[in-house]
Amino acid sequence: MTTNDSEIRAFLESRVDACQKKDIDRLMSHYSSDIVYYDVVPPLQFAGADEVRGNFVRWFNEYDGPIGLETHDLTIATSADVAFAHMLHLDSGTRKNGLQTAIWVRSTVCCRRSDDKWLITHEHISVPINPQNLQAWFPPEM
């Protein structure tokens, strides 16, 4: 493992810790001001730190208490000033309505080093679906 790989691993662990604790300021310190973030919730694309911050606040507000966020199958590729990682996250916790939930999400993160600091410049979140249940996702008239 290279030094850059270790740095990115620690950087992503810090990001997950900030999510678990719903620490919005620490979480946003991981993102560039011109971040482009694709999510599974409308409007699907969030551009810029203010929009991404609002999306994270929305997500945090769905939970009563901390968010469980476990990283699985993390793969990292780095060069001198660019890094790419993809992983699975198990997102779990108690929703505001009292329901205990757990959902798998896929995450792809692209980072750039600037002034010796890594920042996320692009992130893409998706939810795995079962192709056998596509009708639940796509009504027959589509």
Side-chain angles (χ1 to χ4, degrees), residues 15 18 34 36 39 45-46 60 62 65 67 73 76 81 129 131:
R15 176 178 140 271
D34 61 347
V36 176
D39 204 344
Q45 177 182 322
F46 300 86
F60 290 173
E62 292 176 356
I67 297 172
D73 301 332
I76 299 170
D81 294 324
I129 62 169

Side-chain angles (χ1 to χ4, degrees), residues 41-106:
V41 296
L44 304 178
Q45 177 182 322
F46 300 86
D50 290 340
E51 285 188 15
V52 171
R53 181 186 198 89
N55 187 44
F56 280 125
V57 168
R58 176 209 49 83
W59 179 52
F60 290 173
N61 287 338
E62 292 176 356
Y63 287 87
D64 186 20
I67 297 172
L69 194 62
E70 300 172 17
T71 302
H72 297 265
D73 301 332
L74 176 62
T75 301
I76 299 170
T78 62
S79 68
D81 294 324
V82 176
F84 167 86
H86 57 84
M87 67 220 76
L88 295 172
H89 281 143
L90 181 57
D91 173 342
S92 63
T94 303
R95 299 291 178 141
K96 292 282 180 156
N97 64 5
L99 185 64
Q100 290 278 336
T101 63
I103 184 171
W104 285 101
V105 296
R106 296 179 290 222

